[in-house]
Amino acid sequence: MPQITVTVDGNTATTEGTIIRDVIKNKRVVAARVNGDLVDLSAPLSDGQAIETIDLDSDEGVHIIRHSTSHVMAEAVKLLFPDARPTIGPSTEDGFYYDFDRAETFSSEDLEKIEKKMEELVSQDLPFIRKEMTSQDAISFFREKGEPYKVEIISDLGDDLGTVSLYEQGTFVDLCRGPHVPSTGYLKAFKLLSVAGAYWRGDEKNKMLQRIYGTAFSSPKALKQYLNFLEEARKRDHRKLGRELELFMQSDDIGPGMIVYMPKGGRLRTLIEDFEKKIHFKRGYDIVYGPSILRGKLWETSGHMDNYKENMYFTEVDGQLYGIKPMNCLSHILIYKSKVRSYRDLPLRYFELGNVTRHEKSGVIHGLMRTRQFTQDDAHIFCRPDQLIDEITAIINLVEEVMAIFNFEYEMEISTRPAKSIGSDEDWEMATKALMDSLEKKGLPFEINEGDGAFYGPKIDVKIKDAIGRSWQCATIQCDFSLPERFDTHYVGADGGKHRPVMLHRVILGSIERFIGVLIEHFAGAFPVWISPVQAVIMCITDAQAGYAEQVADELRKNDVRVELDVRNEKIGYKIREARLQKVPYMIVIGDKEMGDQTITVRERSGEQETMTLAEFTAIVKNAEPVI
RNA sequence: GCCAGCGUAGCUCAGUGGUAGAGCAGCUGAUUCGUAAUCAGCAGGUCAAGGGUUCAACCCCCUUCGCUGGCUCCA
């Protein structure tokens, strides 16, 4: 055998072997990277090759484990339910899924059976074997096996591919690019989680398949950690906390997708809205208000009738059609048009905490995150084309600033022209470029979301995550050349001629409802002091101090500290327990000592406490306000 | 809208054909107590709604409404 010399993670190694596994004996290695491509450990070795190992705990390693687990699940499903037709089964950010077409539905007992079968397959330590075939051979192979979905996938890959790769383990063969772990024995920690419907190829016109979700990790310990995380996340669910903390409610009597703010939620919302008004005034926005219903004709002019009708509600007033607003832009455009604008007036920035109503499909409604009526911190900026980049940059700065105040991490995306849209190609291109340039100028990373823009223009979306990692769009910045055109909006330029302004639609928090939902989950209900509906609960040890406790409450209220008084005939431990469950930031304990010294003992969420004067405590609370 | 699961007291949940049960919360009384639950008593439900099967339905069947997890769509 000839000697082969390769480098493994930069170290030179020699072998007489023929495949990568011959030089890598480490059981923690699940795959390798050669020339930038991920390959199996069974891939051939060649002299002088540089090999990078993929550890089972690395991001890529975990993805490979999950992907291999999905194959094992598919094998288990085929063995138990031979009528199930496998379709696709990728790894995901926190697990994997596999979609099957089957007449019968999978029950939770079926999942248990499948999981058992998977364990059997793992204990057999079946090797994953890669095979290559021409597309034609692969098509006839899957056709013979009665797997039409695989045939469709290969056919759609096109003829230029030549060969495709298949992976076989045990009795199961799947079309797959790989790589996979060397054998099923590597899969030591997995769990099936749920069944859900999913359209074939993600298109609602196609057949609905059954998707089995599962997750897998490199070790049982890591799996357990993840399952713990899920359990903890459920405790942070904003719907649960919203009820427990008496922030908001929903009611069957009112209807789905509608939110009722209870006193504490109302206070939280007011605090956020006051913050928003302040921050917008300071940045040169004007606050305006528009009506909720506007004539049908206006929605025709705007293009909503053609592009957004199915999401709108309509009503009739004195025999005339009115549309209930799903967006706030129209009133703002009319304000702009209410008089002749000079180039010197621009930019004009109209801000509205606008309550909008949209007909969302019944299945998508979700607590505060997705409602049928919500309030946007909406603004429309009318500017000259030469001001566009500066305005977009200022908005991005505002987003960064606000997200930092709330301590949120976020991701940005640019969405381009959708199929159903208005406006010229040139305008779309110009607008998309303006958005990209602004982000690039600031050096911010972003993803491109093809065809996901609003019907009137492209947009930058800012997404933040909820307790279990689902992304929700908050801020969005949309560039619009179309509505100014449709409403024949203009300003008088330095040359005395008419010019078309550009319009920016933008929200920072997005929907106040959604934002509060994410806020609740982010802080697990333990809000920062400045937005806590109740900042302190004042509690006396016995009735003897009730009078002093009331004085303390009055004094703090006078100083704008949001307090509640607990003078019930209960033990202090009971009162503290309740205040803790309500996630109140400060507990003020008053006994004979405090009453004698005219002080208060302030206990924090952490359990630490300190005795101080009322003035000292007021200063602490005031200092918690963000500087804006 | 689609697929699946679910809907019992304010909340969390028992109850698989013989007309409903617990804990917490609530109310009343006793207790006046220094850092996550003091004790006792009382009250609370057309079992989501409508229809059907049955001598009898919370339980089985159908329809509708709502909720949950996904898919599609979106702030």
Side-chain angles (χ1 to χ4, degrees), chain A residues 61-71 89-96 187 215-217 226:
Chain A
V62 172
H63 265 278
I64 291 166
I65 285 171
R66 287 173 179 163
H67 189 185
S68 298
T69 309
S70 88
H71 278 228
S91 64
T92 63
E93 207 175 314
D94 41 27
F96 63 88
L187 311 173
T215 192
F217 286 85
Y226 175 74

Side-chain angles (χ1 to χ4, degrees), chain A residues 83-85 100-106 207 210:
Chain A
D83 62 317
R85 306 266 162 267
F100 300 94
D101 181 11
R102 178 177 174 236
E104 302 270 303
T105 59
F106 290 112
K207 182 163 189 184
Q210 294 185 71

Side-chain angles (χ1 to χ4, degrees), chain A residues 148-273:
Chain A
Y149 292 93
K150 300 291 174 191
V151 173
E152 185 180 330
I153 293 169
I154 302 167
S155 308
D156 283 12
L157 287 173
D159 297 335
D160 51 330
L161 239 96
T163 63
V164 293
S165 58
L166 276 59
Y167 277 79
E168 176 182 334
Q169 96 274 0
T171 57
F172 183 71
V173 184
D174 202 354
L175 173 75
C176 183
R177 202 180 295 152
H180 280 282
V181 297
S183 64
T184 58
Y186 278 73
L187 311 173
K188 291 179 167 46
F190 53 85
K191 184 163 179 59
L192 301 188
L193 298 171
S194 60
V195 193
Y199 298 108
W200 167 234
R201 299 203 148 174
D203 189 334
E204 66 180 322
K205 289 184 196 78
N206 289 343
K207 182 163 189 184
M208 181 152 279
L209 310 168
Q210 294 185 71
R211 174 170 298 178
I212 302 180
Y213 278 97
T215 192
F217 286 85
S218 58
S219 68
K221 196 179 154 199
L223 171 65
K224 202 169 169 214
Q225 260 173 14
Y226 175 74
L227 296 176
N228 269 345
F229 159 78
L230 280 187
E231 204 170 306
E232 288 302 311
R234 270 190 277 276
K235 292 182 194 159
R236 283 190 287 149
D237 190 309
H238 74 282
R239 293 162 299 187
K240 180 175 155 70
L241 284 169
R243 188 172 50 237
E244 289 171 359
L245 305 183
E246 294 178 17
L247 297 171
F248 69 93
M249 59 176 279
Q250 292 181 272
S251 159
D252 287 4
D253 296 328
I254 292 170
M258 305 294 176
I259 303 299
V260 176
Y261 288 83
M262 303 203 279
K264 282 178 189 156
R267 217 184 267 182
L268 174 63
R269 176 172 166 162
T270 303
L271 289 160
I272 291 170
E273 291 187 351

Side-chain angles (χ1 to χ4, degrees), chain A residues 79-90:
Chain A
L79 288 169
L80 293 165
F81 311 99
D83 62 317
R85 306 266 162 267
T87 66
I88 55 160

Side-chain angles (χ1 to χ4, degrees), chain A residues 469-515:
Chain A
R470 286 180 292 213
S471 276
W472 296 96
Q473 184 179 313
C474 284
T476 176
I477 306 168
Q478 311 179 344
C479 199
D480 182 2
F481 291 90
S482 302
L483 288 181
E485 185 82 35
R486 285 176 164 255
F487 281 90
D488 191 24
T489 313
H490 47 77
Y491 63 88
V492 179
D495 58 1
K498 280 186 181 179
H499 299 272
R500 191 75 73 206
V502 185
M503 193 175 164
L504 287 169
H505 308 239
R506 47 108 285 183
V507 291
I508 304 298
L509 304 184
S511 136
I512 304 293
E513 281 71 11
R514 176 178 291 181
F515 185 77

